[in-house]
Amino acid sequence: MRIFVVLICSLALTSGVYAAQQEENKPQKKKQPQTVKQAPQTTGHAAGGGGPGGKKTTTATSGGQKAKTGQTSTAAFQGQKGKKSQTSTAMYEGQKGKRTQTSNTAYQTQKGKKSQAQTERQTAKAANERQTAKTNERKTAKLANAGQVKGAGKPNQAKTATVSGQNAAKGKFAQGKPIKAQHFSLAKQPNTGKAPPVKFQQGRRIEGSQNWHGQQYNVFRNYKSEWHDQNWWHNHYRNNIVFVFGAPYYWNAGYWFPAWGYYPNAYYAWDGPIYAYNRLPPDQVIANVQAALQEQGYYHGEVDGLIGPLTRGAIADYQRDHGLYTTSAIDRPTLQSLGMA
């Protein structure tokens, strides 16, 4: 009996367990369609940001989008940065190249100008030095020939004036190398532009002649301008009258003088005595003096037989350099120094 009762109880328990399992299985079968139906809702919640499942999906999507956006932004930034860097580098290189080219061009131009200016200065300096050396040599040689210089150097003006006064008083002047007289073919009409005519002044004396001592300069100290007609000149000097450029000159005591009044409109470039070298007419004397001074580097004009400002300036320079009185005229001491008397 006991065994039977145990069997019945076991069967009852087994049946109860079976029924309970069947009841449990039914709700699960019913919920499966709902789960399937709610799948779209779950997706909807995910898009809307609701529910735990939705948050995970949104997070994943957001992470993906952020990753893509980050990658895109980084790529765009790197691209733009690369382009900007390339553009900036190209612009910088271009500007640097232009600045370098401009600077080089300006530097080369300035360098060329400086080199040219320096060359010109050096050329001018060399020319001046050569001219100075030449002038000093010429003056030294001439002063040495005149007995004024024992060695190199330039005498002062006071010493030169003193020596010239002593020489003039004693009648001693350095004798230059003899020069043979020449005959020059001169123009028939004077060039008044180079040697303008002087105006007659009655009783005019040569300025400064009172300071020229010695017999050699008596003719200059005693000279004064005189106006006479043709008859007077003929009666006093007869055959000692010559005509130069149409103007009459008379000869007296070794000098030629202008015969003022012989022809009222006669042309004279110098109102004073002209030493009559070898009894040559005044124009030929002047031409020979011009040639001699030209050879020694004092006269740089044309040999025209006119004692104009240029010729008188050359004579004065020669006289100063040779310890003579500065008469600016053709006197005997000057021609003796030149070797022409």
Side-chain angles (χ1 to χ4, degrees), residues 53-132:
K55 288 182 181 180
K56 292 181 181 179
T57 305
T58 304
T59 303
T61 303
S62 175
Q65 289 178 354
K66 286 183 180 180
K68 289 181 181 180
T69 304
Q71 292 177 357
T72 303
S73 301
T74 303
F77 173 75
Q78 293 296 334
Q80 291 177 357
K81 183 178 180 181
K83 288 181 181 179
K84 289 181 179 179
S85 298
Q86 291 178 357
T87 304
S88 300
T89 302
M91 291 176 64
Y92 173 75
E93 292 296 333
Q95 292 176 354
K96 183 179 179 182
K98 290 181 180 179
R99 287 197 298 268
T100 303
Q101 183 177 3
T102 305
S103 299
N104 290 336
T105 304
Y107 172 74
Q108 293 295 333
T109 303
Q110 292 178 355
K111 185 177 180 182
K113 290 182 179 179
K114 288 182 179 179
S115 299
Q116 183 178 1
Q118 185 175 5
T119 302
E120 291 177 355
R121 286 196 300 269
Q122 292 176 351
T123 303
K125 184 178 179 181
N128 290 334
E129 290 177 352
R130 287 195 299 270
Q131 184 66 26
T132 302

Side-chain angles (χ1 to χ4, degrees), residues 31-45:
K31 288 180 181 180
Q32 288 178 357
Q34 291 178 357
T35 303
V36 175
K37 288 181 181 179
Q38 289 177 356
Q41 293 178 358
T42 304
T43 303
H45 287 299

Side-chain angles (χ1 to χ4, degrees), residues 30 38 47-48 75 79 95 104 109 132 143-144 191 198 201 260 297 300:
K30 289 180 181 179
Q38 289 177 356
Q95 292 176 354
N104 290 336
T109 303
T132 302
L143 288 171
N191 186 343
V198 295
Q201 295 180 11
W260 289 104
H300 303 286

Side-chain angles (χ1 to χ4, degrees), residues 275-294:
Y275 184 67
Y277 163 60
N278 276 7
R279 290 298 299 266
L280 292 172
D283 57 341
Q284 291 297 324
V285 174
I286 296 170
N288 276 270
V289 172
Q290 288 175 330
L293 294 174
Q294 192 177 65

Side-chain angles (χ1 to χ4, degrees), residues 8-26:
I8 292 171
C9 290
S10 298
L11 289 172
L13 289 171
T14 302
S15 298
V17 171
Y18 178 77
Q21 288 180 352
Q22 289 295 324
E23 290 296 333
E24 289 179 0
N25 290 333
K26 286 181 181 180

Side-chain angles (χ1 to χ4, degrees), residues 10-316:
S10 298
L11 289 172
L13 289 171
T14 302
S15 298
V17 171
Y18 178 77
Q21 288 180 352
Q22 289 295 324
E23 290 296 333
E24 289 179 0
N25 290 333
K26 286 181 181 180
Q28 290 179 358
K29 289 179 180 181
K30 289 180 181 179
K31 288 180 181 180
Q32 288 178 357
Q34 291 178 357
T35 303
V36 175
K37 288 181 181 179
Q38 289 177 356
Q41 293 178 358
T42 304
T43 303
H45 287 299
K55 288 182 181 180
K56 292 181 181 179
T57 305
T58 304
T59 303
T61 303
S62 175
Q65 289 178 354
K66 286 183 180 180
K68 289 181 181 180
T69 304
Q71 292 177 357
T72 303
S73 301
T74 303
F77 173 75
Q78 293 296 334
Q80 291 177 357
K81 183 178 180 181
K83 288 181 181 179
K84 289 181 179 179
S85 298
Q86 291 178 357
T87 304
S88 300
T89 302
M91 291 176 64
Y92 173 75
E93 292 296 333
Q95 292 176 354
K96 183 179 179 182
K98 290 181 180 179
R99 287 197 298 268
T100 303
Q101 183 177 3
T102 305
S103 299
N104 290 336
T105 304
Y107 172 74
Q108 293 295 333
T109 303
Q110 292 178 355
K111 185 177 180 182
K113 290 182 179 179
K114 288 182 179 179
S115 299
Q116 183 178 1
Q118 185 175 5
T119 302
E120 291 177 355
R121 286 196 300 269
Q122 292 176 351
T123 303
K125 184 178 179 181
N128 290 334
E129 290 177 352
R130 287 195 299 270
Q131 184 66 26
T132 302
K134 184 177 179 181
T135 302
N136 291 337
E137 290 176 0
R138 184 183 64 197
K139 290 182 178 180
T140 302
K142 291 170 184 177
L143 288 171
N145 290 335
Q148 300 300 317
V149 178
K150 294 181 180 179
K154 183 178 180 181
N156 55 43
Q157 294 181 352
K159 183 178 179 181
T160 302
T162 302
V163 174
S164 64
Q166 293 174 354
N167 289 339
K170 296 178 181 179
K172 294 181 180 180
F173 297 93
Q175 183 71 37
K177 185 177 179 180
I179 298 176
K180 186 178 180 180
Q182 304 179 60
H183 181 80
F184 293 88
S185 178
L186 305 174
K188 294 182 180 181
Q189 297 297 325
N191 186 343
T192 57
K194 293 183 178 179
V198 295
K199 294 181 179 181
F200 173 78
Q201 295 180 11
Q202 183 68 38
R204 173 187 173 274
R205 293 187 178 273
I206 297 175
E207 184 179 357
S209 61
Q210 69 274 10
N211 299 321
W212 306 339
H213 305 290
Q215 293 182 350
Q216 302 280 11
Y217 298 96
N218 284 341
V219 64
F220 291 92
R221 289 195 301 269
N222 297 331
Y223 174 78
K224 61 180 181 179
S225 301
E226 297 180 9
W227 188 279
H228 303 288
D229 59 16
Q230 291 185 17
N231 292 329
W232 189 93
W233 290 114
H234 277 295
N235 291 333
H236 285 78
Y237 296 100
R238 299 183 181 179
N239 296 328
N240 291 327
I241 296 176
V242 297
F243 296 88
V244 176
F245 300 112
Y249 286 82
Y250 69 95
W251 183 87
N252 184 34
Y255 281 84
W256 292 106
F257 302 86
W260 289 104
Y262 190 101
Y263 290 144
N265 296 322
Y267 162 82
Y268 297 104
W270 155 247
D271 183 13
I274 299 174
Y275 184 67
Y277 163 60
N278 276 7
R279 290 298 299 266
L280 292 172
D283 57 341
Q284 291 297 324
V285 174
I286 296 170
N288 276 270
V289 172
Q290 288 175 330
L293 294 174
Q294 192 177 65
E295 184 178 353
Q296 296 192 35
Y298 286 94
Y299 181 65
H300 303 286
E302 180 185 0
V303 177
D304 53 12
L306 296 172
I307 186 168
L310 188 61
T311 302
R312 297 189 64 206
I315 294 172

